[in-house]
Amino acid sequence: MEEKYLPQDIESKWQTFWQEGKTFETTVNRKLPEYYVLEMFPYPSGNLHMGHVRNYSIGDVLARFKTMQGFNVLHPMGWDAFGMPAENAAIKNAIHPAAWTAENISNMRRQLKELGFSYDWDREVATCLPDYYRWTQWLFLLFFKKGLAYKKKATVNWCNECNTVLANEQVIDGCCWRCESMVIKKELEQWFLKITDYADRLLADLKELPGWPERVKTMQENWIGRSEGAEFSFSVPELDEKIPVYTTRHDTAFGVSYVVLAPEHPLVERIIAGREEEEAVRAFVDRMRNLSEISRTATDVEKEGLFTGAYAVNPFNNERVPIWVANYVLADYGTGAVMGVPAHDERDWQFADKYHLPKRLVIQQPEGGLSIETMTGAYHDPGTIVNSGEFTGLDNETGKVAMAKWLEERGIGKRRINYRLRDWLISRQRYWGAPIPIIYCPKCGVVPVSEQELPVKLPENVRFDSGSVSPLANVADFVNCQCPVCGEQARRETDTMDTFICSSWYYMRYTDPKNTTLPFDADKANYWMPVDQYIGGIEHAILHLLYSRFFTKVLQDAGLVNVNEPFKNLLTQGMVIKDGAKMSKSKGNVVSPEEIVGKYGADTARLFILFAAPPERDLEWSDQGVEGAYRFLGRLWRIIAHYESVLSDPKAREQYDPETLTQEEKDLRRILHITIKKVTDDVGGRFNFNTAISAVMELVNALYAFRDHVTAPKPGLIYELVSSLLRLLAPFVPHVTEELWGAVIGDGSVHKQPWPVYNSEATKVSEVEVVVQVNGKVREKLVVAVDIDANELENKAMKMERIAQLIEGKKVVKVICVPGKLVNIVVK
RNA sequence: GCCGAAGUGGCGGAAUUGGCAGACGCAGCAGACUCAAAAUCUGCCGUCAGCGAUGGCGUGCCGGUUCGAGUCCGGCCUUCGGCACCA
């Protein structure tokens, strides 16, 4: 073998070897346990960044490790290939999005291959190709037929920069998730998916996901936002109208001193019509409507409102209370109207203070003594109901049940479970997405494209001007069509689907990527699904992960797959940081993976990234750390080169009796087996690749020390050690281990070898070092037989010179003996 | 405001079940090799006091439990992330 480690020479050689030998091809094999490891597929922006390298290195270690452990591993890769940047490039550089995307994919595919990831490339998918989006459209039709896709006019989030609408999940702090510009409200007719129908299951089934990080589940829980309460109506006798309100505190209904409508509430116009307040209220409503999302919803915005001039009647006590309009009531939560109970709601308290509205105490704290006059804020804790007619005297939780029952018996209200989650707005006024397969016929109305007509292909000759309608609307050939029902001239939907739809089912397509009759075959999907380990960034905690869970449930209900949840275990990897900030072009702290691979090779890049921090934490980039990883591989190479001749000795491959080893050899073998155990536990159990690698480094250090002391080692031991060492490292640094395996061990690819098994006999020791403490402080160390009994250990410790000195003249209160660990002598 | 995570040497991090704090790596210092340098191999490397043996202090802060606490309990502080007028 070469004397020096030269990654450039060996990496491309093995990449070609793996590709040509289809080393990582996978098929259904029911004789083996299956394992599906998946990393979030990338958007083909053109180049891999370090975050990708980290994400995919983590997945690759797992895939290779599980394969060596005897699992049938599915480890695919593909492209989340529809999306805005392609279209922006088209506007800017006059290149077609399809061509731009294809170029980027081929560049990034090359970069992935140069990193040596073990993907089954035969399963590659790209969501922008007709043979993929055909099935995205097919799934849309499935949703449509099940009543889960519908069109409605609604106030929606609009991004002026991206010229399109956005789903609620895609608005972050009032700004567009992609371009960070301010989101405004628009009234538009759009397509929605009825994710709210699944709100309860999406919430409840989080309990079926013990393998997900707690914080991701909490974020989804918050997002779904379930609350239990009641809905009932206040009547407006003079208009013969009703104002339904939703509340979780119907136990405080006798404390209502006003009713508030959201500015956008549909009844506002009727209520103010013809009153002297009309003009002022309308001006207020208009002002609120034109405010951005942030300035409307920030908590520090002062509550503001106006009296409408009208009154409503509280069904509980028949009291007349004023109807107000205020900025703090949200139009699209609950009923868009709330009852104001200043004494027991902090917001109502503030509002009542500002506008001098009355307050009435209806819940008394358990110890009594509360009164409006002495209160400085609302009381929202449990207590006893007061001033509430027949309900007075009940504790408030009992009161809630009784009052809900009261409403239900009279048919004027009911218990209600409410969610914060809204339906998923999926229309996008953009070209580069999957067309929504719908036709509008003047006679038949909204008509789905028939399945046989799919895919509805994107036309190629399109002008990309930035504007507020989809470029598809200007393509006459695309828009004009015939109604599939009556054959009349009809018009095609010109919006495309949110790209999050494409990524909501790709993990199932991987199980059967070339199917031309269905999105995927149920047998194949059921064999592989769910994904055993999913790996990606925390930024998708809600977006992609919630949508995918929703899709999986709908597909399960449709009988297409028999899993309830798509991702059994989820690992959210941390960011790659440099100089304390996330790598980004604007900060100028980007390190290009291609450069690192070019200089040190893929193995070094992977090793550094896996060693520098555990996967979940942020990783601080360090050029010197990369040097260190490279140095280690050189060190590995040299020590194996040192033993090349020993390994070529035919005796090296013969079985040997461990009893014939010298003490130094036994010690080395013990370190080997401890390392095998540690690496196996760290990689397979808790994904602490950093500590697994450090254990292997210690083994290599031990081997260097051994080399300096033992000139004629037993060849069988060296063989056992090197062959195990290479297999332990193979998932992390696949090229150099493949090369060394071929050079000194032989027999096929290291990646087809079984994972080393640790031998507990080999890890046993006859003597251990025990710590001797006096009053909990380490004062001495003692080497004793492992199986020494406690009394003898205690005696030995007490007799040690230093210990005897330290305890002389003092009273021994207690002696604690932990066999194999320590002796603690407590003295006074 | 609510929920969650984290806080350990000069730095990244380790300590998995309450039992030697700082594994492994980086940086630094020294030695060997060399005409020399690089590379490599070896050793040292929390902090204060001491020539040294050794001792004191030390895991964000204050307290507690325990023979023994980075780890458990109570109360804070700081940083980061999520949600945030959701009735």
Side-chain angles (χ1 to χ4, degrees), chain A residues 573-587:
Chain A
Q573 111 246 4
M575 289 186 295
V576 181
I577 303 283
K578 181 144 190 278
D579 309 322
K582 187 181 177 175
M583 282 189 184
S584 73
K585 271 187 206 146
S586 58
K587 294 210 177 64

Side-chain angles (χ1 to χ4, degrees), chain A residues 397-438:
Chain A
E397 284 304 323
T398 313
K400 257 187 200 171
V401 177
M403 289 164 88
K405 219 172 137 197
W406 186 91
L407 286 169
E408 281 163 1
E409 277 164 6
R410 279 157 189 76
I412 52 173
K414 58 179 189 295
R415 269 168 269 218
R416 177 175 159 184
I417 289 162
N418 205 39
Y419 296 94
R420 217 183 62 107
L421 182 73
R422 312 286 152 74
D423 278 340
W424 176 12
L425 197 173
I426 58 149
S427 305
R428 293 294 178 273
Q429 290 69 46
R430 306 296 312 193
Y431 167 79
W432 197 231
I436 296 172
I438 288 288

